[in-house]
Structures are given as structure tokens and as C-alpha cells.
Amino acid sequence: METAQVPRQRAEQLLDAAVRYTEERHWDVCPGTWLEPSGGGRCSCGEEDCAAPGAHPTGDGWADGATGSGAAARRMWTQHPGAAVLLPTGRAFDAVDVPESAGFLALARMERMSLPLGPVTRTPDRRMQFFVLPGAAAKTDDLVRRAGWNAASIGLRGIGEGAYVVAPPTRVGGVGAVQWARTPTTANRWLPEVEELIGPLAYACGRARADSRDGLS
């Protein structure tokens, strides 16, 4: 009986989260793939080597199925209770994606500096995504270059229009669930401009990159 209860409990959490994101944050949400209840972590897409089991779009037209309506979100997750909660970027927000080690370093530094911060996710593959105002992804590489770094070489990238982030409490295969490193609250409803965060984020990524090289030498 215990194993049978897990998918139901998780499905309720996913539905509640999807509705909450639309109603409290006014974010669009889109149901993604899901983990087959009896498939040992197998993704509903059917691919044996799926890179993100239960945590990616169901097809190329996924963005057209996104909704900002709480009632529509409730219907969607009632039809597919275990579906991943995907948040399309380029609409209410963009995201800056960095390695987890750099993300925590930057987070601590930015909090000490009293910089404005939005929500931040933490993924099972050890990445963090900092939510910023839309339009950030298009200028991230240039801003990082002006700060003296190369975005690709330090593992920093912008996520914007046409892409998405996977939202908590979506579970990725047997690896773990996406979590909030900074939970959405009324205090961080207003998102920062990417220019306000890119310096500390680039510095932290560069430092984490250098530390990892030193550790290998």
C-alpha cells in the first residue's frame, strides 16, 4: 500500500504547485512528461536513454499549451496528475543558470550586499537558476564578457524566450526533485534586472571553475 500512495501524494503536490504558480505569481505553467508509476523511473516519453526522465516537454509545440489560468492548470494536472511543472521563460521572467557551487557562493555574497533577489531553483543535476526580468538571456553573454569572463567557459548561461525551467516539486527520474533555494514570496515578487546580479554570478562561476581546476592539478 505504501508504494501505491507515493504517486498520488506527489501528484497532489504537483497540481497544487502548478495552480499556486499561476494564481500567486501570475506565471504561465505547462505540463511536461511524467514518470511511469510502475516503470522504475521510466519517462513517459518512452526513450530508454532519456536525459531528464519525467521532467521535459512532451513535444515541439509544448509552449502553445502553457496557461496562466489556475482553473486551466487544475484541469491539465487532473488529466495528467504526475506531469512535470514547466515554467516557460521569456514571459514573466528569464533565468540565469549556473553551477550549484557557484550559485550558493553568489547567493551568500549577494545577500551580504543586500542586492535584490528573486526566486532561485536548485536542480538534482547540481545547477541553480536565478529568476530575473525578461530579456536577460539575450544580453547575458555580452554582460559576462564586459565583466571579463566567457560565459560558456565558466558554465553560466541565460534561459529566455522559447525555453523553460523545471519547477519544484518536479522529480527528475530517480535522481531527486527540483527544489527552491529561495522560495517565491511576496518579498521577492519584483524581480531584479540581470545587470544587478551578473557581476557576483560571473565572479562566483569563475572562482568555482578555477577551484575545480586546482583540485584536478
Side-chain angles (χ1 to χ4, degrees):
M1 284 295 293
E2 270 189 287
T3 54
Q5 290 173 355
V6 172
R8 282 205 301 272
Q9 181 184 14
R10 179 173 162 264
E12 291 167 4
Q13 293 171 347
L14 290 164
L15 186 153
D16 290 346
V19 172
R20 193 166 63 250
Y21 295 147
T22 60
E23 294 182 344
E24 295 180 8
R25 300 297 295 203
H26 306 294
W27 292 340
D28 285 357
V29 296
C30 180
T33 54
W34 56 89
L35 297 173
E36 297 291 358
S38 58
R42 183 180 175 85
C43 185
S44 62
C45 73
E47 294 291 335
E48 290 287 347
D49 57 348
C50 180
H56 63 85
T58 55
D60 292 339
W62 66 272
D64 295 333
T67 181
S69 161
R74 187 173 296 279
R75 286 195 301 271
M76 288 176 173
W77 269 268
T78 298
Q79 292 172 357
H80 298 289
V85 182
L86 307 181
L87 305 177
T89 45
R91 301 184 183 188
F93 63 88
D94 279 7
V96 180
D97 178 89
V98 300
E100 183 183 81
S101 56
F104 278 120
L105 179 66
L107 198 55
R109 187 179 184 204
M110 290 188 286
E111 286 174 343
R112 287 197 302 272
M113 296 168 67
S114 298
L115 290 178
L117 286 166
V120 182
T121 61
R122 178 187 180 192
T123 66
D125 61 347
R126 302 180 68 82
R127 305 287 300 182
M128 291 174 71
Q129 284 119 22
F130 289 71
F131 287 29
V132 292
L133 287 172
K139 49 190 175 182
T140 294
D141 286 357
D142 185 54
L143 289 171
V144 173
R145 186 163 51 248
R146 291 184 193 178
W149 307 89
N150 177 280
S153 69
I154 60 175
L156 183 154
R157 70 185 183 100
I159 308 174
E161 188 174 358
Y164 64 92
V165 296
V166 181
T170 302
R171 183 167 293 278
V172 184
V175 182
V178 182
Q179 302 173 26
W180 288 111
R182 277 183 65 91
T183 306
T185 66
T186 53
N188 60 27
R189 180 173 297 279
W190 305 108
L191 300 178
E193 295 276 3
V194 66
E195 288 88 348
E196 299 175 274
L197 307 188
I198 204 67
L201 285 172
Y203 171 79
C205 287
R207 179 173 163 183
R209 178 74 170 170
D211 289 346
S212 66
R213 278 208 212 102
D214 292 342
L216 294 173
S217 60

